Amino acid sequence: MYIGTNYLSGKAGEKIFNLLANNKSLKVFDYSLNQLGDTDELPCAKAIANCFTNNKTLQHVDISFNNFGK
């Protein structure tokens, strides 16, 4: 799934990665060139970590160019 370059916020990313944590079919997810780091990064970062911990199906995730560490 490719949803890069949509200027999606960290709040949207938090919700999406929480959903992906239970995904059983998606193998590629591109969330590059969005705005994950535009607000408080901690909830979004926790959702990403939870996704990577629980999802054993994802093989490639791109979260590059998301303004982390501003």
Side-chain angles (χ1 to χ4, degrees):
M1 173 191 273
Y2 298 91
I3 59 172
T5 318
N6 282 297
Y7 304 102
L8 297 171
S9 69
K11 284 281 190 196
E14 178 185 356
K15 291 176 183 178
I16 290 169
F17 279 98
N18 280 330
L19 291 171
L20 282 176
N22 298 313
N23 168 66
K24 301 288 186 232
S25 60
L26 193 66
K27 294 183 180 183
V28 175
F29 183 62
D30 185 329
Y31 200 92
S32 62
L33 295 160
N34 280 294
Q35 302 294 320
L36 289 176
D38 70 343
T39 57
D40 182 17
E41 295 175 13
L42 189 57
C44 186
K46 285 182 178 182
I48 292 169
N50 182 50
C51 177
F52 291 162
T53 300
N54 293 309
N55 186 314
K56 305 303 180 202
T57 307
L58 281 172
Q59 296 175 359
H60 177 84
V61 176
D62 185 350
I63 56 172
S64 61
F65 302 104
N66 267 283
N67 298 325
F68 285 114
K70 268 183 148 179

